[in-house]
């Protein structure tokens, strides 16, 4: 490759990656020749090519400037991505009618008026009044009795798991119920733990009883009691991620492992599913031993959740809105899931269809192999899993799409399968 072509590609790459932004002046030919130790002619040839291809423009008596070509390319790419994910059936978005944003805004404004309080960092464990509110909430809803000093607040489950990993013995092994727990598995591997899948002999057992697998399976009470008895006998630590425990419809409500066990369960929960995903506030209840260890090392930790949102959420919970929000969310999402399921059943009478035990997902089995790309080309985002038998399982959650689009979405699925 000639020298002017190398320079052309280098500057072109800087423009396309926004290292050189639209409207920014490019160094003069003479200056660029000095920087790259090239002849003026070589730089001129590179600049002429960049001008010809629309990456830079020459302005008389001013020099060369970057055009908006990168912005156009980025906008085109963004539009393409937006189009491919127009109908998201992965459960990653919330229904616009499920949460009263204006009410939440009032609580945020109220929190912002606490000027003196906002001048300092939040406590490493999180705001004390929020931990008190969480303590009351989990005792009432899940029979989890824990004092506020054992509760840690965080901006999602991920940072809480990272904090937990720093407290645990890295030589221990940890077991996950399935490979689909990619974030948790990744965190424990990063910290050097020996990660296993479905291994009851591990030192640490990570479970999500209300959503054990991608299918939304719920752990029955018999198995919960067996796990509690086994972990107590072996001395294993159990991490209970109580994800989606509020959305159990097809099975009887079952007690948490924390309520059934002794002091060997770390209980974790989140408010994202019952509020909206962008409010990233989760909590973790430590065992007495881990709580004491945390307090000895507390100076090492910083709170990751917004102090303003913590203050707002505390008032939101104490004013009773969280209970009405749970009822509203359950009612809306349950009705949408059942309606979408009925439409699918009518459209695909010969397919194996079922609703998950937590009534947030629809499982559809098809006999042929189909790639997620096929759905994305039709503006659909659907979780798929290939079985050894050759069939493909579609996992769909209609929670975040408009009911008016249900018929059209089903027609798109039919086009993909055909």
């Amino acid at each position: 490759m000639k020298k002017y072509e190398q320079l052309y590609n280098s500057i072109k790459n800087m423009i396309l990656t926004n290292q050189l932004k639209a409207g920014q002046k490019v160094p003069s030919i003479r200056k660029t020749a000095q920087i790259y130790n090239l002849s003026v002619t070589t730089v001129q040839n590179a600049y002429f090519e960049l001008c010809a291809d629309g990456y830079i423009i020459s302005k008389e008596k001013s020099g060369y400037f970057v055009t908006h070509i990168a912005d156009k390319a980025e906008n085109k790419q963004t539009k393409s991505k937006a189009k491919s994910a127009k109908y998201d059936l992965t459960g990653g978005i919330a229904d616009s009618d499920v949460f009263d944003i204006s009410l939440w805004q009032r609580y945020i404004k109220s929190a912002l008026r606490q000027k003196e309080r906002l001048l300092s960092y939040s406590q490493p464990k999180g705001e004390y009044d929020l931990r008190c509110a969480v303590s009351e909430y989990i005792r009432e809803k899940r029979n989890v009795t824990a004092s506020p000093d054992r509760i840690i607040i965080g901006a999602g489950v991920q940072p809480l798991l990272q904090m937990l990993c720093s407290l645990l013995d890295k030589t221990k092994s940890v077991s996950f119920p399935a490979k689909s727990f990619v974030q948790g598995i990744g965190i424990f591997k990063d910290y050097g733990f020996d990660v296993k899948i479905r291994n009851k002999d591990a030192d640490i057992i990570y479970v999500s009883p209300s959503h054990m697998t991608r299918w939304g399976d719920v752990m029955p009470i018999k198995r919960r009691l067996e796990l509690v008895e086994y972990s107590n006998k072996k001395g294993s630590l159990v991490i209970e991620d109580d994800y989606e425990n509020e959305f159990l419809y097809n099975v009887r409500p079952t007690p948490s492992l924390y309520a059934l066990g002794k002091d060997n369960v770390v209980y974790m929960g989140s408010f994202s599913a019952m509020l909206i995903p962008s409010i990233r506030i989760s909590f973790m209840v430590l065992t007495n031993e881990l709580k004491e260890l945390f307090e000895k090392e507390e100076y090492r930790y910083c709170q990751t959740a917004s102090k303003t949102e913590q203050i707002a959420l505390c008032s939101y919970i104490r004013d009773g809105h969280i209970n009405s929000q749970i009822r509203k969310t359950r009612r809306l999402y349950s009705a949408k899931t059942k309606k979408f399921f009925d439409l699918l059943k009518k459209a695909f009478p010969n397919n194996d269809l079922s609703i998950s035990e937590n009534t947030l997902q629809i499982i559809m089995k098809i006999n042929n192999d189909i790639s997620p790309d096929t759905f994305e080309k039709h503006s659909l985002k659907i979780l798929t899993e290939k079985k050894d038998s050759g069939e493909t399982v579609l996992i769909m959650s209609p929670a975040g799409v408009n009911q008016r689009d249900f018929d059209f979405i089903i027609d798109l699925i039919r086009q993909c399968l055909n």
Side-chain angles (χ1 to χ4, degrees):
M1 185 181 290
K2 295 179 180 178
K3 289 184 177 180
Y4 86 88
E5 291 176 328
Q6 292 176 347
L7 179 61
Y8 167 89
N9 288 330
S10 176
I11 296 175
K12 174 185 171 181
N13 181 62
M14 285 191 283
I15 292 171
L16 291 177
T17 56
N18 276 319
Q19 296 175 63
L20 288 172
K21 299 185 182 297
Q24 187 175 339
K25 188 175 181 180
V26 181
S28 67
I29 290 175
R30 196 169 295 280
K31 182 70 174 176
T32 301
Q34 292 174 357
I35 293 170
Y36 288 92
N37 194 25
L38 297 170
S39 69
V40 171
T41 304
T42 299
V43 177
Q44 279 180 331
N45 290 336
Y47 275 32
F48 290 158
E49 288 289 331
L50 289 165
C51 285
D53 291 343
Y55 291 102
I56 61 174
I57 187 171
S58 174
K59 294 184 180 180
E60 191 176 356
K61 296 182 180 179
S62 297
Y64 292 92
F65 294 83
V66 179
T67 67
H68 289 271
I69 191 169
D71 291 343
K72 291 175 184 176
E74 188 176 355
N75 288 337
K76 192 173 182 181
Q77 188 178 25
T78 302
K79 286 178 181 177
S80 175
K81 286 183 179 177
K83 183 181 178 183
S84 67
K86 185 175 181 181
Y87 302 109
D88 190 335
L89 294 169
T90 63
I93 57 175
D95 189 302
S96 58
D97 294 329
V98 80
F99 186 66
D100 188 345
I101 293 288
S102 60
L103 176 63
W104 180 249
Q105 286 173 331
R106 291 203 292 273
Y107 279 98
I108 289 291
K109 288 178 182 178
S110 176
L112 289 171
R113 285 195 287 270
Q114 300 187 36
K115 296 179 182 178
E116 292 296 321
R117 190 173 174 182
L118 295 177
L119 293 175
S120 61
Y121 291 109
S122 181
Q123 299 169 36
K125 287 184 179 180
E127 294 302 288
Y128 179 73
D129 54 355
L130 175 59
R131 288 187 278 125
C132 289
V134 170
S135 177
E136 294 172 13
Y137 168 77
I138 57 179
R139 184 175 64 251
E140 178 190 341
K141 293 295 180 185
R142 300 295 290 143
N143 196 26
V144 172
T145 303
S147 57
D149 64 324
R150 288 175 61 180
I151 296 172
I152 312 291
I153 304 297
V157 170
Q158 235 174 333
L160 290 175
L161 279 179
Q162 291 170 337
M163 186 182 292
L164 181 60
C165 283
S166 70
L167 297 172
L168 298 174
D169 182 353
K170 313 301 183 295
T171 63
K172 302 287 187 182
S173 59
V174 56
S175 173
F176 284 84
K179 292 180 180 179
S180 56
F181 288 76
V182 289
Q183 291 183 345
I185 290 171
I187 290 170
F188 276 89
K189 280 187 174 179
D190 287 345
Y191 275 84
F193 287 87
D194 178 18
V195 174
K196 304 174 184 294
I197 304 298
R198 292 189 296 274
N199 188 319
K200 67 176 184 177
D201 292 325
D203 304 303
I204 303 166
I205 302 170
Y206 188 105
V207 286
S208 184
S210 300
H211 197 120
M212 293 194 302
T213 66
R214 293 179 72 176
W215 327 112
D217 295 330
V218 178
M219 183 183 289
I221 182 65
K222 181 182 177 184
R223 189 170 167 192
R224 293 183 190 225
L225 291 168
E226 289 173 349
L227 176 56
V228 166
E229 183 181 356
Y230 177 83
S231 62
N232 284 334
K233 188 182 296 183
K234 191 175 183 297
S236 305
L237 177 72
V238 176
I239 301 172
E240 179 181 15
D241 183 349
D242 212 12
Y243 177 63
E244 290 186 350
N245 74 78
E246 302 89 0
F247 303 105
L248 305 183
Y249 303 94
N250 294 338
V251 294
R252 285 186 175 185
T254 48
S256 66
L257 295 172
Y258 185 96
L260 294 171
K262 295 183 179 179
D263 190 31
N264 70 321
V265 180
V266 172
Y267 180 85
M268 307 188 78
S270 177
F271 292 99
S272 298
M274 42 184 133
L275 302 178
I276 48 177
S278 58
I279 301 175
R280 302 293 295 163
I281 297 183
S282 299
F283 57 90
M284 172 172 65
V285 180
L286 295 176
T287 64
N288 277 317
E289 183 182 350
L290 288 171
K291 183 211 77 158
E292 291 173 5
L293 186 57
F294 177 90
E295 289 174 347
K296 287 178 183 177
E297 305 287 329
E298 194 166 348
Y299 67 93
R300 294 172 47 206
Y301 302 102
C302 293
Q303 178 51 234
T304 55
S306 159
K307 191 172 187 178
T308 305
E309 286 194 345
Q310 288 186 66
I311 296 169
L313 180 60
C314 177
S315 300
Y316 186 89
I317 293 172
R318 287 185 166 171
D319 288 348
H321 294 297
I322 196 72
N323 292 324
S324 57
Q325 175 63 25
I326 291 171
R327 290 193 296 270
K328 179 181 178 181
T329 305
R330 290 177 61 178
R331 187 169 58 249
L332 175 62
Y333 286 169
S334 176
K336 290 181 74 172
T337 302
K338 289 173 182 175
K339 181 179 179 180
F340 194 69
F341 174 80
D342 290 339
L343 291 171
L344 278 170
K345 197 73 177 173
K346 186 178 179 180
F348 304 98
N350 299 321
N351 284 85
D352 185 351
L353 279 157
S354 61
I355 298 178
S356 68
E357 290 181 322
N358 60 25
T359 322
L360 284 180
Q361 294 171 314
I362 296 169
I363 314 301
M364 181 175 175
K365 297 178 181 178
I366 56 177
N367 292 325
N368 58 321
D369 185 2
I370 187 167
S371 167
D373 295 340
T374 304
F375 294 109
E376 289 181 7
K377 289 174 184 176
H378 288 76
S379 302
L380 294 170
K381 194 172 182 181
I382 295 177
L383 292 174
T384 65
E385 186 163 304
K386 294 177 183 177
K387 293 290 192 179
D388 294 335
S389 59
E391 69 178 1
T392 303
V393 181
L394 310 184
I395 308 161
M396 296 173 281
S397 174
V401 294
N402 197 303
Q403 293 190 59
R404 293 193 300 268
D405 296 324
F406 278 7
D407 288 322
F408 182 64
I409 290 171
I410 288 172
D411 188 53
L412 289 175
I413 294 173
R414 185 186 287 110
Q415 291 178 39
C416 293
L417 300 187
N418 289 337

